[in-house]
Amino acid sequence: MYADNTLLSVAEAARRLSLSQSYLNKLRVTGGGPAYVKFGPRRVAYRTADLDAWVAGMLRASTGEAEAGAPAGVGQ
């Protein structure tokens, strides 16, 4: 669908991940979210490869594993 180096806006990345833009913004502040590219003080973009890598890192085999890899504020 996308090349690995395609840059997506916050809105596009949120849609791709089925997350809200505000949650993606929160993850940038608190940490634990996908890597992003910062262009100046306001422009943020996400590479599709980084989104895919983040999703792959969130895979769990059981509920007992969820706490260890959850982003800040999730599962607390």
Side-chain angles (χ1 to χ4, degrees), residues 5-6 8-10 12 16-17 19 21 24 28 32 37 42 44 47-48 52 56 58-59 63-64 70 73:
N5 61 353
T6 299
L8 302 179
S9 68
V10 175
E12 292 168 328
R16 181 179 170 100
L17 296 171
L19 298 173
Q21 290 182 53
L24 211 50
R28 276 199 316 278
V37 181
R42 294 181 184 232
V44 172
R47 294 185 315 172
T48 55
D52 293 342
M58 299 299 284
L59 288 174
T63 57

Side-chain angles (χ1 to χ4, degrees), residues 50-64:
D50 293 329
L51 297 178
D52 293 342
W54 183 70
V55 168
M58 299 299 284
L59 288 174
R60 302 290 180 258
S62 71
T63 57

Side-chain angles (χ1 to χ4, degrees), residues 21-31 72-73:
Q21 290 182 53
S22 62
Y23 184 65
L24 211 50
N25 293 337
K26 180 180 176 181
L27 289 176
R28 276 199 316 278
V29 173
T30 61

